[in-house]
Amino acid sequence: MDPIKVLALVLAILTLGGCAAEGPIKPADFEQKIEAAHTRADHQEIAAVYEQQAEGDRVAVERHRGLARAYERGYIAGGTRARGSSIARRENKSLAAHCENLVRIYQQAAEENLALAKEHRRLAAETEN
């Protein structure tokens, strides 16, 4: 996937409400680094940033899995326990589904970031300097 699509995916993640979303790990001048990448070191640095982002995505996957399990165990948004309440169960189901959706999005983002890192590692290996 090209960097523009990955950036669009990350921006989509950040605009989602509800469960807190982790932001991208990106140096302020990352776009410029990509545009100016010509050396082995340039591509290795870019690959490292993508790998770091993938690790952050994996952490987000586990965090949102845990949040989904917490909602499934019967806690509603206000933190009160409402075991027999059908309203609370519906809210919990909706909140858990939201978190599970974020799990899928972060898993995809991690895979895409690793693919970008792999491509930059390949470019680094093929670069003479």
Side-chain angles (χ1 to χ4, degrees):
M1 182 177 259
D2 76 335
I4 303 253
K5 288 181 182 177
V6 171
L7 182 59
L9 178 63
V10 170
L11 290 174
I13 290 168
L14 294 176
T15 60
L16 294 173
C19 294
E22 288 74 12
I25 301 168
K26 186 178 76 167
D29 59 347
F30 193 59
E31 287 87 2
Q32 292 82 13
K33 286 182 191 276
I34 289 172
E35 291 173 6
H38 298 295
T39 68
R40 180 176 293 138
D42 291 339
H43 289 292
Q44 289 172 337
E45 182 180 355
I46 292 166
V49 171
Y50 282 124
E51 289 164 347
Q52 185 180 15
Q53 181 62 48
E55 182 57 33
D57 295 335
R58 282 191 218 104
V59 168
V61 164
E62 294 309 312
R63 180 170 172 269
H64 289 286
R65 271 195 186 127
L67 291 171
R69 284 191 298 267
Y71 287 126
E72 289 166 356
R73 286 192 301 264
Y75 290 91
I76 59 174
T80 57
R81 197 117 167 118
R83 283 218 185 254
S85 168
S86 62
I87 294 171
R89 281 193 295 276
R90 272 196 312 270
E91 287 178 4
N92 291 347
K93 198 174 206 181
S94 173
L95 293 166
H98 170 75
C99 290
E100 288 297 335
N101 189 47
L102 284 173
V103 165
R104 285 187 294 280
I105 290 169
Y106 279 115
Q107 283 175 328
Q108 167 108 28
E111 290 169 11
E112 296 298 341
N113 279 306
L114 288 175
L116 285 163
K118 182 179 178 181
E119 187 64 18
H120 278 281
R121 295 277 180 212
R122 184 189 62 76
L123 289 168
E126 293 176 359
T127 302
E128 292 182 18
N129 56 3

